Amino acid sequence: SKATVSVLNWPHAVRLTMSYPAQTQQVTYGQQAVQGYPPQPGGQFITKEDLSGQHIQNATIQECDVVNCTLTNCNITKADFKGTCTLQNCTTREIDVYGTVTVQGGSFTWGEVKAGGQVIDQGAHIEDIDGYIPQSGYGGGPPPGAAAGGAMAGGAMAGGAYGAQGNYPPPPPQGAYGQQHGHPLVPGQGAMGANDAWGVVARSQKMIVEQQISMLEVLADTANTCEACCEQPNVYKIYDEAGRHVMTAKEESEFCNRCCCNPCHELILHVTDEANGQEVLRVDRPMKCGGCCPAWCGPCQHEATATSNGRFIGKSRQPACGGGCRPEIRVGLNESPDEDYFASVHGPGCCFGGCTEVCCEQEFLVESASGNEADGRINKVMGGLKEIATDSDTFHLEFNNPALDANKKMTLLSTLLLVDYMFFEQNQPFECNPCASPGETCLSCTLFEFYCCGFLLPCKLSCTSASSEDS
């Protein structure tokens, strides 16, 4: 097949015309697919500063207060706009508007217009802005710097339709998810909307995964009776950073395998879109040796494979020796992430889990393959009293690298689920058996889990029931 690529003057927009054997399809990847690209050449990175009365070009701006400024060709995240500001060909997300913001081209998504605030649209793509009221005043002609014939100052725009249509920038295609968010677009496969689960993940900087509590497991664990036989398939609810329920992951596993080999058993996690019930991701995890076996070879190296509609997305896998004294999982977009990976997940050093889950967070850093920067982190929230009675966990998955596309984010989401099964699905830190016979353990406490080369050893403190002679 062949591809013709034309670069538009809309920042970071590329149009590809791809010829397949039986059809021709045009796909546009625009700013919605980039989610905070690095600064353009010669640009600057500005974070946590107060910007006032400036004209800034080609910069990445994060967590700043912007007052009476003009920003051109900038990528802006988590900023507050006050006074009168103008945005020209910018990509913005997670914005609070307290003053008047004029948006000339680019995209303006995920934000809120506060009381007294106003957003004036002049040819921009505006989406998910709470409190936004469309304003008149944009005449439909080219914005500043654009020639009527379709040429922009400093660059050309193909097609010549710009002056005739008066739409700047080219509006993102509607209804074709892969065209906007970097999800593989398979010929003949149904198109997905921009607000489906893949779309939400593509533009999110944080996902929240909450494992649901099984009351049957709680009762069995509390009574210390038939714990294995009462082991239920895991269910996870997945939320976006705003707390909206986006997806649900449900475990499919064979009963005997789950009861006898948990948490190392073979399973499939079906991740469905909460909006339409369709499966958007499938995570396959084969059975591996238990935590008492070091990760020295394939049968002992835990892994998970992510697919969508039968199409391979990515894979997570323990490297040989499992990272030494610090857990490591390598994440790639291929079948051999040991050798070719885009990120590696590194857990706490040596000792974690157990009673530390009650009062401490368990942090797993997502580092780039070069190791020079952090792509994000997987954070297990401290469970408090919930940890005492259940093995239900809550995780936060943060994406710090704006270069992560939807495929990489979904693969990291599957890695989070693998982390839970590998390190946090053992029994709760405290176990009590009030019916223990003399000489049997009546109370045990897992102080922490000791990790070395994939070997996971619980360090426990146990109390046994006194015999009649001892009493």
Side-chain angles (χ1 to χ4, degrees):
S1 58
K2 63 179 182 179
T4 301
V5 182
S6 57
V7 180
L8 312 182
N9 198 47
W10 186 25
H12 292 269
V14 180
R15 175 170 293 148
L16 304 98
T17 302
M18 299 183 291
S19 300
Y20 296 98
Q23 59 182 314
T24 298
Q25 186 171 26
Q26 180 170 284
V27 181
T28 300
Y29 291 86
Q31 291 173 312
Q32 287 296 96
V34 178
Q35 299 307 317
Y37 40 81
Q40 300 179 20
Q44 54 184 323
F45 186 88
I46 305 173
T47 181
K48 297 181 180 179
E49 293 187 15
D50 294 332
L51 308 177
S52 180
Q54 302 182 46
H55 185 184
I56 301 174
Q57 298 181 351
N58 303 331
T60 293
I61 300 173
Q62 292 184 357
E63 300 183 49
C64 293
D65 285 340
V66 183
V67 183
N68 299 327
C69 290
T70 298
L71 308 179
T72 303
N73 296 335
C74 292
N75 170 45
I76 310 162
T77 305
K78 296 181 180 179
D80 293 340
F81 284 92
K82 302 173 184 177
T84 302
C85 299
T86 301
L87 307 182
Q88 299 174 341
N89 309 333
C90 294
T91 295
T92 62
R93 67 184 313 279
E94 298 184 68
I95 303 300
D96 288 335
V97 177
Y98 295 88
T100 299
V101 177
T102 301
V103 188
Q104 300 175 348
S107 66
F108 198 78
T109 59
W110 279 61
E112 182 178 358
V113 179
K114 303 291 186 178
Q118 181 184 26
V119 174
I120 300 176
D121 175 19
Q122 294 189 353
H125 172 68
I126 297 181
E127 181 181 2
D128 291 336
I129 302 295
D130 295 337
Y132 166 66
I133 301 176
Q135 302 288 325
S136 59
Y138 181 51
M152 293 290 298
M157 180 172 288
Y162 174 82
Q165 298 290 334
N167 293 327
Y168 176 78
Q174 301 298 319
Y177 167 76
Q179 298 176 357
Q180 296 188 50
H181 299 286
H183 181 55
L185 189 61
V186 182
Q189 182 175 306
M192 295 180 283
N195 291 321
D196 67 359
W198 274 89
V200 172
V201 171
R203 63 175 179 259
S204 292
Q205 299 300 308
K206 181 179 181 179
M207 302 300 294
I208 301 170
V209 180
E210 186 178 88
Q211 183 180 353
Q212 301 304 289
I213 297 175
S214 170
M215 292 308 301
L216 182 60
E217 288 186 18
V218 172
L219 294 174
D221 289 342
T222 303
N224 202 24
T225 305
C226 297
E227 296 178 39
C229 295
C230 295
E231 184 67 33
Q232 299 297 300
N234 285 359
V235 177
Y236 302 86
K237 289 186 177 180
I238 303 171
Y239 304 86
D240 64 7
E241 52 201 329
R244 289 176 290 215
H245 185 189
V246 180
M247 295 175 285
T248 299
K250 294 183 179 180
E251 175 189 332
E252 176 191 347
S253 56
E254 199 271 330
F255 175 78
C256 291
N257 192 358
R258 181 176 68 250
C259 293
C260 298
C261 303
N262 180 69
C264 301
H265 59 291
E266 180 180 2
L267 61 90
I268 298 175
L269 285 165
H270 301 277
V271 184
T272 56
D273 191 329
E274 193 63 21
N276 52 35
Q278 295 182 355
E279 183 177 289
V280 294
L281 186 71
R282 178 175 296 187
V283 182
D284 291 88
R285 183 215 182 195
M287 182 176 174
K288 295 292 182 176
C289 296
C292 60
C293 180
W296 288 341
C297 55
C300 300
Q301 293 172 257
H302 291 262
E303 62 182 49
T305 303
T307 59
S308 179
N309 295 322
R311 185 179 181 88
F312 178 84
I313 300 299
K315 190 169 185 176
S316 309
R317 180 181 172 88
Q318 269 186 314
C321 289
C325 292
R326 188 184 179 194
E328 180 182 2
I329 301 174
R330 293 179 179 174
V331 188
L333 301 180
N334 52 73
E335 293 285 357
S336 301
D338 284 357
E339 303 172 359
D340 184 11
Y341 55 96
F342 68 86
S344 58
V345 178
H346 294 273
C350 203
C351 301
F352 57 91
C355 287
T356 64
E357 298 179 38
V358 177
C359 57
C360 300
E361 295 184 344
Q362 314 287 315
E363 184 178 70
F364 289 73
L365 293 179
V366 181
E367 301 178 358
S368 63
S370 63
N372 296 328
E373 58 184 13
D375 285 348
R377 68 171 184 160
I378 297 172
N379 185 43
K380 182 186 179 299
V381 180
M382 61 181 180
L385 295 178
K386 185 176 71 170
E387 291 288 348
I388 298 177
T390 75
D391 58 5
S392 176
D393 304 310
T394 300
F395 294 86
H396 291 175
L397 173 58
E398 299 177 5
F399 308 112
N400 298 335
N401 186 350
L404 294 175
D405 60 20
N407 286 350
K408 292 180 179 179
K409 289 181 177 181
M410 278 295 200
T411 306
L412 287 173
L413 178 60
S414 69
T415 306
L416 181 153
L417 298 172
L418 176 62
V419 165
D420 185 39
Y421 279 100
M422 288 176 61
F423 303 116
F424 302 110
E425 276 300 294
Q426 292 77 15
N427 288 332
Q428 63 270 17
F430 298 94
E431 293 183 339
C432 178
N433 182 12
C435 302
S437 301
E440 292 183 348
T441 301
C442 61
L443 177 65
S444 67
C445 170
T446 302
L447 301 178
F448 57 85
E449 305 273 356
F450 176 78
Y451 180 90
C452 181
C453 298
F455 178 83
L456 196 64
L457 175 67
C459 295
K460 290 189 175 185
L461 179 65
S462 300
C463 298
T464 57
S465 178
S467 64
S468 57
E469 295 178 358
D470 295 335
S471 61

